[in-house]
Amino acid sequence: MEVDLVIRNATVATASDILPNQDIVVKDERILCLGQGLSALFKARREIDAEGAFVTPGGIDSHVHLHQDNSPTGDTFATGTRSAIAGGTTTILAFASQERTDESLFPVVEEYHRRSAGQSYCDYGFHLILTNPTPKILQQELPVLVKDEGISSVKLYMTYQPLKLVDRQILDVMTSTRALGMTTMVHAENSDMIDWITERLEERRMTDPYYHAVSRPNIAEDEATYRVISLSELMDIPILIVHMSSKIAAAHVRKAQTRLLPIHAETCPHYLFFKSDRLRGEHFEGAKCVCSPPLREDQMDLDAMWQGLKNGTFTTFSSDHAPSKFDHPQGKKAGLVNGTTSFRKIPNGLPGLETRVPVLFSGGVLKDKISIQKFVELTSSNPAKLYGLDKKGTIAPGFDADLVIWYPSSRKMTPFALTNDMLHHDIDYTPFEGMEFENWPRWTILRGSIVWDRENGGIVGQMGYGRYLKRGRSTLSKPREVFVNEFRPY
Ligand code: URP
Ligand code: ZN
Ligand code: ZN
Ligand code: ZN
């Protein structure tokens, strides 16, 4: 039989196993079969010798901000997804973001389709950011978007004045997401604590980037995390708490999971590697690391994020790619006007879509901090299951042939220190500048096509090859029909 691609002699790593000497056979964008000694049975239009190399499922980054109006100097779908494939990510979930004044979600989703159609190098889907959850939107529009657009998740904010919902609005949203089987993502920080401290810091002229971290203490995340777990328990719905950074907040999640509540959580590369002293750089450089929740002061929090990756507290490991250019008046420098600093005006968020997978491979797997199976689970398999991507997230017959081939240790790539000019985003810095990498994706393959070939052309995929993905329900968790008392929310 003639097939499209055979990858020979790979060490296949999935979320459960490490399988040596595998031939992976790809036909019509999918994995036809894998096993030992298969390559002799097929005539392949293209072969790759992966002798000794790990092959892992294409990365799925389930938290990416592209072309949002609130970050005018960030990445577009073209530049963001270009950087994704160069870093071993073959699927992203980006946000279609409702403005407070938007009375309908349909034009919002249409607008994000316009921004992404024909622009994407990798496959992509949308989460909805809900900032104005009216009865019409919740009862009439969400069901249509689930069914027709395959949008099976929403993100809610408990902080940021233009975005935040109060608890009773969150309960309203949860009533609908419960009925529709959607996953509810929550940005958990206590808004009033942050606003109140921010005002006091401004009165005291403590406005340098570093005070961004002071204005958002751990306790703001800890409290909001516990509160939204309580809201979820009251409503009996699965949630995912995004971008967690605090040890105590993670302990709240852990405790809820031990009680079998359907609580999921996510952390991000920067919360594993960086502390808040990064915000103190000279020449306003600290603004480069302003994100929310902020980088934490104490190594204890970073250690807790590693522990949570290992012990299963965290379901997913996402980039929260939310970049702004540094040297731009509408970028990070919006917080520096005529020599006067204002951390409140620095756009929040870091670039990290391209570095997410290599950072965890090099800084986690190769440093013996997590197993390669755990790496696959966090960067690909769990996001696929949690967000209803039923053809992605593992290497098995019938699944999309989304693969990352790493350099084998025998034909080692030379370890290198990362510089921003090696990356493919449209951002003028990376917080990972100077970090040593012992490995990097040698090839990235999306639905059977090579899209990244580090030694022959780099980006070889085409803009527009990436497809919009309609998603189904989460297969990781659903309501349990367990309630706090005789009251039923429906
Ligand atoms: O600082 C961050 N994370 N900004 C991006 C928006 C968000 O809250 O995810
Ligand atoms: Zn635009
Ligand atoms: Zn957020
Ligand atoms: Zn985000």
Side-chain angles (χ1 to χ4, degrees):
M1 187 201 262
E2 193 173 70
V3 296
D4 302 319
L5 172 69
V6 171
I7 299 164
R8 277 188 281 110
N9 276 315
T11 300
V12 168
T14 67
S16 57
D17 299 300
I18 300 173
L19 309 167
N21 303 322
Q22 299 289 308
D23 296 335
I24 306 169
V25 182
V26 175
K27 187 170 163 54
D28 298 333
E29 304 192 350
R30 300 259 169 93
I31 295 165
L32 181 68
C33 53
L34 73 160
Q36 296 190 333
L38 288 181
S39 65
L41 307 177
F42 295 92
K43 186 170 155 19
R45 266 187 281 279
R46 172 133 197 198
E47 289 203 16
I48 294 178
D49 176 13
E51 171 79 47
F54 279 117
V55 179
T56 54
I60 300 176
D61 194 339
S62 52
H63 188 152
V64 176
H65 301 267
L66 297 176
H67 204 152
Q68 284 184 218
D69 293 340
N70 59 0
S71 19
T73 69
D75 270 312
T76 61
F77 278 82
T79 60
T81 61
R82 180 179 75 190
S83 76
I85 58 174
T89 289
T90 49
T91 298
I92 60 153
L93 296 179
F95 295 95
S97 186
Q98 181 192 27
E99 306 276 317
R100 265 287 201 249
T101 48
D102 291 331
E103 302 283 339
S104 168
L105 293 176
F106 298 140
V108 175
V109 172
E110 280 318 304
E111 175 60 20
Y112 279 88
H113 276 306
R114 264 194 296 280
R115 292 175 186 189
S116 53
Q119 300 288 304
S120 192
Y121 287 85
C122 70
D123 286 354
Y124 63 100
F126 297 144
H127 309 288
L128 283 167
I129 290 175
L130 290 183
T131 57
N132 182 20
T134 62
K136 183 184 94 171
I137 282 173
L138 293 179
Q139 289 153 30
Q140 293 167 34
E141 297 195 355
L142 274 191
V144 175
L145 293 171
V146 171
K147 190 161 164 290
D148 295 351
E149 292 283 339
I151 298 179
S152 57
S153 44
V154 297
K155 181 180 178 189
L156 313 179
Y157 286 85
M158 298 171 83
T159 191
Y160 294 133
Q161 287 308 335
L163 305 173
K164 74 167 195 174
L165 304 185
V166 298
D167 292 356
R168 58 177 304 148
Q169 290 176 298
I170 296 176
L171 293 172
D172 286 340
V173 173
M174 285 176 164
T175 309
S176 292
T177 54
R178 185 181 196 282
L180 294 166
M182 301 179 88
T183 300
T184 307
M185 309 161 75
V186 185
H187 178 135
E189 285 185 293
N190 181 306
S191 179
D192 286 335
M193 285 184 192
I194 292 166
D195 290 349
W196 193 84
I197 298 172
T198 301
E199 285 167 24
R200 303 288 88 71
L201 288 170
E202 291 198 324
E203 286 164 12
R204 296 169 203 181
R205 308 223 193 300
M206 297 163 126
T207 53
D208 283 355
Y210 175 73
Y211 291 102
H212 169 78
V214 177
S215 75
R216 312 179 88 97
N218 286 55
I219 196 168
E221 180 180 341
D222 303 342
E223 184 280 329
T225 298
Y226 187 77
R227 179 154 41 102
V228 76
I229 291 170
S230 305
L231 299 178
S232 151
E233 181 173 4
L234 179 69
M235 300 302 286
D236 179 42
I237 65 149
I239 58 171
L240 174 115
I241 302 166
V242 293
H243 49 46
M244 291 191 69
S245 66
S246 164
K247 177 180 177 165
I248 290 175
H252 289 319
V253 168
R254 183 85 176 146
K255 200 165 171 200
Q257 291 166 342
T258 303
R259 294 177 51 221
L260 304 179
L261 299 178
I263 308 297
H264 298 279
E266 167 196 272
T267 193
C268 312
H270 37 285
Y271 300 123
L272 299 178
F273 290 96
F274 304 144
K275 296 204 295 185
S276 60
D277 57 6
R278 288 257 179 169
L279 299 175
R280 288 190 191 274
E282 282 184 21
H283 309 297
F284 206 63
E285 294 269 322
K288 291 180 176 177
C289 284
V290 165
C291 60
S292 294
L295 301 178
R296 297 303 181 188
E297 192 173 345
D298 203 318
Q299 182 62 36
M300 182 180 80
D301 287 304
L302 282 66
D303 294 344
M305 297 304 104
W306 280 106
Q307 188 180 49
L309 288 180
K310 287 191 228 185
N311 72 16
T313 306
F314 296 116
T315 299
T316 60
F317 180 72
S318 310
S319 66
D320 190 13
H321 184 77
S324 293
K325 289 180 182 61
F326 173 66
D327 202 7
H328 192 292
Q330 287 173 288
K332 296 287 187 180
K333 290 263 175 89
L336 179 65
V337 178
N338 299 327
T340 306
T341 57
S342 175
F343 70 80
R344 193 169 50 80
K345 297 193 182 135
I346 302 170
N348 286 197
L350 308 184
L353 180 44
E354 184 165 349
T355 40
R356 175 189 71 120
V357 166
V359 158
L360 196 62
F361 193 84
S362 208
V365 177
L366 298 182
K367 295 272 188 296
D368 281 327
K369 295 184 108 166
I370 61 166
S371 68
I372 192 163
Q373 294 98 320
K374 197 62 173 173
F375 160 85
V376 171
E377 181 182 308
L378 287 161
T379 57
S380 180
S381 307
N382 274 350
K385 292 174 188 171
L386 183 70
Y387 295 113
L389 294 164
D390 62 354
K391 290 285 181 289
K392 301 204 180 274
T394 194
I395 300 176
F399 278 72
D400 283 354
D402 298 349
L403 305 163
V404 178
I405 306 178
W406 297 86
Y407 282 82
S409 48
S410 54
R411 280 177 277 147
K412 225 178 177 153
M413 62 170 281
T414 318
F416 68 94
L418 186 74
T419 56
N420 191 53
D421 59 10
M422 297 173 184
L423 297 177
H424 299 78
H425 58 195
D426 183 28
I427 304 301
D428 55 1
Y429 77 100
T430 168
F432 296 95
E433 184 81 25
M435 186 181 266
E436 282 278 330
F437 287 81
E438 281 178 58
N439 210 325
W440 193 272
R442 168 69 183 83
W443 287 279
T444 305
I445 295 170
L446 171 58
R447 286 181 279 102
S449 289
I450 297 170
V451 291
W452 165 250
D453 183 338
R454 191 163 182 268
E455 292 185 357
N456 285 300
I459 302 278
V460 293
Q462 300 298 316
M463 189 171 84
Y465 178 64
R467 259 185 216 150
Y468 178 72
L469 299 168
K470 292 188 181 184
R471 297 178 290 121
R473 283 186 184 215
S474 174
T475 56
L476 272 192
S477 59
K478 53 185 180 185
R480 301 182 305 153
E481 299 295 334
V482 177
F483 295 94
V484 295
N485 67 13
E486 67 188 26
F487 174 75
R488 296 291 172 269
Y490 48 83

